[in-house]
Amino acid sequence: MTDAIRFILNGEEISLGGFGPTETLLDYLRLKRRLTGTKEGCAEGDCGACTVLVGRLVEGLLRYETVNACIRFLGSLHGTHVVTVEHLAAKDGTLHPVQQAMVDQHGSQCGFCTPGFVMSLYGLWLSNDAPSRAEIESALQGNLCRCTGYEPIIKAAEQVGAERPSSLFDPLERDRSEIAARLWDIRAHPETIVVTRDGARSIVPASMAALAEIIAAEPKATIVAGSTDVGLWVTKQMRLLDPIVFIGHLTELQSVTVDDRGITIGAGVTYAQALETLSDELPPMAKLLDRLGGGQVRNMGTIGGNIANGSPIGDMPPPLIALGATLTLRSHSGTRTMPLEDYFRAYGKQDRMAGEFVEKVFVPRLRDDAYFAVHKISKRRDEDISALCGAFHLVLDAEGRVEDARIAFGGMAATPKRARHVEDALVGQVWSWGLVAAVRDLFEDDYQPLTDWRATAEYRMLTAKNLLTRVFLETAGAPVELRRFEMEEV
Amino acid sequence: MDNSTFEQKPTITGAMHVSLRHDSAHKHVTGTAEYIDDIREPADTLHAALGMADRAHAEILSLDLDAVRAAAGVVWVITAEDIPGFNDVAATGRHDEPLLAEKEVQFHGQPIFAVIAETRDQARRAARLAKVEYRDLPHWTDIDGAIANGAPLVVQPMTLTRGEPDTEIDKAAHRLQGRMVIGGQEHFYLESHIALAIPGEDDDVTVWSSTQHPSEVQHMVAHVLGVANNAVTVNIRRMGGGFGGKETQGNQFAALAAVAAKKLGRAVKFRPDRDEDMSVTGKRHDFRVDYDVAFDDEGRIHAVDSTYAARCGYSADLSGPVTDRALFHADSSYFYPHVHLTSQPLKTHTVSNTAFRGFGGPQGMLGAERIIEEIAYAVGKDPLEIRKLNFYGQQGSGRTLTPYHQEVEDNVIARIVEELEASSDYQARRQAILAFNEESPVIRKGIALTPVKFGISFTMTAYNQAGALVHIYQDGSIHLNHGGTEMGQGLYVKVAQVVADAFNVDIERVKITATTTEKVPNTSATAASSGSDLNGMAAYDAARQIKERLIDFAMRQFEVARDEVEFLPNQVRVGKDIVPFDTLVRAAYYDRVQLSAAGFYKTPDIHWDREAGRGRPFYYYAYGAAVSEVSIDTLTGEYLVDRTDILHDVGKSLNPAIDIGQIEGGFVQGMGWLTTEELWWDDKGRLRTHAPSTYKIPLASDRPKVFNVKLAEWSQNAEPTIGRSKAVGEPPFMLAISVLEAISMAVASVADYRVCPRLDAPATPERVLMAVERMKDL
């Protein structure tokens, strides 16, 4: 066991101990390192002014991802390469092409959001040779600009996509193999790390088995993968958490496997990683994921975390429940598997016992003849929390009767919940306009939604009913969807 | 002074009328542009956090701060009784805004005390430990509640009258009444408020404040400390956005930091968290517009009678001039033969609302555009036809007098609309949309072309003045300072262009410096779109004075006539000789020529009598128009903006690239106001949308999919403004009304365009769906 984490910051390898479990990367950069190019705009992962890149080894390859430094705890950085805006320009002051494009296109006005945009554009530039407008917009979903109206920033992304210099220019391309080797070295002999400050501990388990032991011994520990939710407990509610057990580095929790039976997603798989598999396997899920958070949140947040926290407005549970997913919990004494819908007992209450953690979720293969759709409704199209999110999974028999119906909603009840009354009324009946018109009001028996700042109860209920109507129209082949781009890419 | 005929001088860099990048662009993209939170702090700097009320309206029975004082790192806790001067930060002089609440709290989140601690984290944690006992008093947070409770007005209302509205409103063929509810808006500057106060000797204190109005911060800090204005220096190099939100709202943070810094003899930094910032700073005013309009069979307006009620919050702040400006724009671009307009600035138990880009003008215009829609649906015509029918006329038409009795003398709206209608292919696209809607059951489209006419000048005549300070050093390098502040709008580079142009030297020679009350005193807020009009002229005046002295020197020294001295690019021709600019400057120094000048400017020809409702409040108008096309989903109320075309008038642009940026940015910000940005208070009077997780400003993917923005290149200001340019900060914001109206048309299609959908703002997906449902029921 050691008492310091190791990571690389720009060009410098750092061994860091003596920090508190809730200390953020942003405060470390700004206050301790005086790297003030990275800004605090909201301290909740919604504005992107604090965007930095974090490089990590995923399946053996060094992968750089944009993250929000404001809600990223230091303890999660072991074995990573943190890259800030200060690392981009050449030593002689020559701007990186991404920066130069922003200057050329008048992409900054007040300039406060600009370093964050530069980093998001940089992340895109590293991973995509010729991004489309849709891909550029996706990459910028987590960055707010209040001055420019975004047009010049989009143009900057297009300019830099068109002018790719030699890789020697770029610090990350140039140093890629060296950095990868150093990260390998850091992770070569994993040991559990416990960093302590004023008695409060950050625990970085060496393995999943070590995690199980730690959780068994520390029933009050907070388990943190991406900290896209827990981060706000700290920055907004000022909660003191001790200990925090970090799991984002555990490769055992990060695999996505596809076989004849279905898809198994480890609890530590980020939305962004899941998106890569799901865009082929379950396109409606991929479309949903593209509207979940911004790129930074998708790079941090995990499918497991979105389930484990039990939020009634998490976007993963409704489609997973509709697909008949099962959840596996692990403790040091073994595993336990249940239908996902059974995990959500009541508001804030999940079927997870002390010492257990979410290990994986299994999604059964969708039948070829099944219909599956998921519709997210939010005030703003992208990077918004759902007012409601409805998932529909229907199987019709040869006569056009509903053989099986699984419908689940988020935002309509205190937990993600199936619409049993509607399902029961559909099953056995001929899938028709008349059937839909007859059963849509049964949502009122399934749900009593709330009114809040995202929507009124009336709107939620009406829209839930209308989504069933949409599902019918879609199965009938009618054009019912707003499309920002002709070929909606994700 | 002839400033109307600057010539293009292509051989220097950064002349006027040339597209130039923002002066800080390089620093922005490398993260080296310094904002106040990035300034290296003096040793032992302390940090502040607010203790905020958790009642909307209550008497404070007791305040127990023992736990706060005992918390780790806490050095001091400031309450109202600790204020050495006046416990008051009212910008209006009305003394209705205590810095810290004493006996009564009037909105949820009102500051009651401030904690000063060794670290920001410690201050924030300690601020939560207070025990406050309250006795609740009745509260109301919105306009309906204020009216139902007989709420007082925060300032005297204004009335504008022309013609005989009372009798004429019955005399036209048609008359209708309606109501429009218009939501407020959070500024959401990316950099929250911040102040860093550094104590000096005697009464002195220096404050770095993220403010659009350094002079007011200076005066407020002095007022709160009980010292003379000359003891306080306020500096600001750049803000991370302002939009009006940093005109008066920074006073509280600067004053608290200064009080603590003076008391403790240590530097104090006050950077509120985003949630605190959104809870304790004012926003755009919500309005409720009740309109009564009379019109003929064609749709020509005969008389209008409207009341503009506003949610002002608990104090006056800028609500007087904001509601005034709403009335000044309640005509939009239209001539009302008979008109009566009244404002109703209502007190509510919410944070005091304040300036925000457009300053009431957008709400005023939106009411007018609703009236146009109402008439259009009533007479069965395209709203654009009704607009054209009602535009102000050219001089001599008898249709040029505004409700405030100012003649519209520089009207170009008809030309702008005509050109945009053609370039955007409006008519054909509208026909295609009507056809599309007939065939499309779920997705509907709409298109709208709306005009902008925006009056330029502070309606408080005294604010229309500015100062600048220009030095030339012995090496020929130029130091530029003026009273305007840089919040991203490109003011600094524009004024630097004016100075470079005046001396005919490369702009690289002109050093842009931070705004400070030490160099230019008694400045006005950088607001009302006036930054380059006022400061550009003041800087020109300073440059002109030095240039005159250089010419006099050259004539004297080289015995040449005045017309033999000519400023060439980076050189000066003196008789037959051509000397480098810096050589002439150095020679002038040795001849003891003063190479420094303070410039000054005041806008001519404006006056305003609020009591009488008459005058010439505006020096000129800026014009523009936009066409937006949208698609809506009639099952969910969601929508997309498919295309927007804009033609906008900035006169002869000082910097076309910067101006285009203002237009695009202003439009998207306006679109946010009218679509997804919704402020939501709960029944306890708590603002629940106080961070970007709950308050949704537009993203890149919300901007129009096709976005064509052009300047009216033929335009130049009819008045002799700097380079014949026009103000650009606020006017484009209102181009976004085209989006709301396009959504409205798409909604109207559900009832075959028979009735006006009366879509209120913001048109969230929920409001759109509910409007669709109303159409279905018809």
Side-chain angles (χ1 to χ4, degrees), chain B residues 386-423:
Chain B
I386 307 301
R387 294 199 157 94
K388 290 180 178 173
L389 204 55
N390 286 286
F391 279 152
Y392 279 107
Q394 296 302 317
Q395 277 175 296
S397 65
R399 295 172 55 83
T400 54
L401 200 59
T402 61
Y404 43 97
H405 300 267
Q406 173 168 355
E407 293 282 346
V408 180
E409 294 170 339
D410 57 5
N411 187 359
V412 294
I413 194 62
R415 179 172 178 186
I416 285 189
V417 166
E418 189 186 323
E419 289 188 11
L420 181 65
E421 187 181 341
S423 67

Side-chain angles (χ1 to χ4, degrees), chain A residues 30 34 39 41 44 99 108 110 133 137 146 150-151 236 238 380 382 456 459 466 470 484, chain B residues 28-29 35 38 40 125 186-187 274-275 633 635-636 665 677-678 693 697-698 701 703 705 766:
Chain A
R30 291 186 58 84
R34 285 208 55 82
K39 310 297 183 192
E44 61 179 16
Q99 295 171 313
S108 70
C110 87
R133 279 221 155 187
E137 286 184 6
R146 193 55 152 167
Y150 301 101
E151 193 69 16
K236 299 296 163 176
M238 314 286 303
R380 186 176 66 197
D382 292 327
T456 62
Y459 176 74
N466 284 353
R470 147 161 304 163
R484 182 159 166 81
Chain B
H28 292 154
V29 300
Y35 301 82
D38 305 334
R40 193 174 276 275
R125 288 185 188 282
E186 159 63 31
H187 304 83
R274 174 64 58 180
D275 301 54
D633 177 339
L635 287 174
T636 62
E677 293 184 40
E678 188 173 34
S693 52
I697 73 169
S701 52
R703 87 200 187 292
K705 189 163 69 173
E766 169 155 358

Side-chain angles (χ1 to χ4, degrees), chain A residues 231-269:
Chain A
L232 278 71
W233 302 0
V234 171
T235 59
K236 299 296 163 176
Q237 301 166 23
M238 314 286 303
R239 277 165 69 175
L240 295 167
L241 303 171
D242 174 31
I244 292 181
V245 179
F246 293 94
I247 62 168
H249 62 291
L250 292 176
T251 51
E252 296 146 286
L253 293 173
Q254 284 169 357
S255 70
V256 183
T257 53
V258 181
D259 62 24
D260 291 346
R261 294 170 46 246
I263 310 167
T264 304
I265 303 170
V269 172

Side-chain angles (χ1 to χ4, degrees), chain A residues 446-462:
Chain A
D446 286 311
Y447 303 120
Q448 288 82 44
L450 295 175
T451 290
D452 67 11
W453 51 91
R454 294 199 175 90
T456 62
E458 296 73 34
Y459 176 74
R460 287 185 159 112
M461 182 54 73
L462 175 60

Side-chain angles (χ1 to χ4, degrees), chain A residues 22 27 30-31 34 36-44 46-47 49 85-86 88-89 93-95 98-100 102-103 106 108-115 117-118 133 136-137 140-152 154-155 232 234-240 291 376-385 440 451-460 462-463 466-467 469-470 473 478-486, chain B residues 19-22 24-26 28-35 37-41 120-121 124-125 128 185-192 238-241 243 271-275 356-357 440-443 486-489 631-642 657-658 661-662 664-666 668-669 672 676-678 680 688-689 691-705 707 764-766 769-770 773 776:
Chain A
T22 57
D27 280 352
R30 291 186 58 84
L31 303 179
R34 285 208 55 82
T36 54
T38 309
K39 310 297 183 192
E40 179 181 315
C42 69
E44 61 179 16
D46 261 282
C47 80
V85 70
E86 287 86 355
L88 266 67
T94 306
L95 296 182
V98 169
Q99 295 171 313
Q100 189 60 49
M102 282 286 279
V103 171
H106 307 279
S108 70
Q109 285 184 24
C110 87
F112 198 83
C113 70
T114 308
F117 271 95
V118 165
R133 279 221 155 187
I136 294 166
E137 286 184 6
L140 298 179
Q141 281 166 336
N143 291 80
L144 298 176
C145 170
R146 193 55 152 167
C147 294
T148 64
Y150 301 101
E151 193 69 16
I154 304 277
K155 286 178 181 153
L232 278 71
V234 171
T235 59
K236 299 296 163 176
Q237 301 166 23
M238 314 286 303
R239 277 165 69 175
L240 295 167
R291 289 181 57 190
K376 172 177 174 133
I377 306 294
S378 52
K379 213 180 271 183
R380 186 176 66 197
R381 178 182 167 80
D382 292 327
E383 205 213 17
D384 196 359
I385 290 166
R440 49 178 264 149
T451 290
D452 67 11
W453 51 91
R454 294 199 175 90
T456 62
E458 296 73 34
Y459 176 74
R460 287 185 159 112
L462 175 60
T463 306
N466 284 353
L467 289 181
T469 302
R470 147 161 304 163
L473 289 170
V480 290
E481 200 179 0
L482 289 173
R483 280 174 180 268
R484 182 159 166 81
F485 295 95
E486 289 312 313
Chain B
S19 279
L20 210 63
R21 69 169 192 239
H22 193 284
S24 294
H26 211 94
H28 292 154
V29 300
T30 50
T32 53
E34 205 173 56
Y35 301 82
D37 200 32
D38 305 334
I39 296 173
R40 193 174 276 275
E41 298 157 1
R120 183 168 174 270
D121 186 65
R124 290 183 69 209
R125 288 185 188 282
R128 300 179 174 227
Q185 186 178 25
E186 159 63 31
H187 304 83
F188 212 87
Y189 28 69
L190 262 289
E191 177 209 35
S192 65
R238 63 171 64 78
M239 282 165 271
F243 316 114
R271 175 169 71 82
D273 172 59
R274 174 64 58 180
D275 301 54
F356 194 147
R357 202 176 199 168
S440 180
V442 175
I443 306 299
E486 176 65 39
M487 59 194 107
Q489 82 277 43
S631 301
I632 71 164
D633 177 339
T634 57
L635 287 174
T636 62
E638 296 164 292
Y639 43 78
L640 293 173
V641 181
D642 299 317
I658 295 280
Q662 287 294 297
E664 290 175 349
V668 170
Q669 196 176 71
T676 57
E677 293 184 40
E678 188 173 34
W680 196 89
R688 300 303 295 270
T689 48
S693 52
T694 46
Y695 184 78
K696 312 310 283 188
I697 73 169
L699 278 171
S701 52
D702 294 310
R703 87 200 187 292
K705 189 163 69 173
F707 198 15
T764 56
E766 169 155 358
L769 183 66
M770 293 312 180
E773 291 294 304
K776 283 183 180 166

Side-chain angles (χ1 to χ4, degrees), chain B residues 42-64:
Chain B
D44 302 326
T45 294
L46 297 166
H47 298 267
L50 288 175
M52 292 150 64
D54 59 358
R55 301 300 164 91
H57 188 202
E59 186 187 341
I60 299 174
L61 298 178
S62 70
L63 176 61
D64 177 354

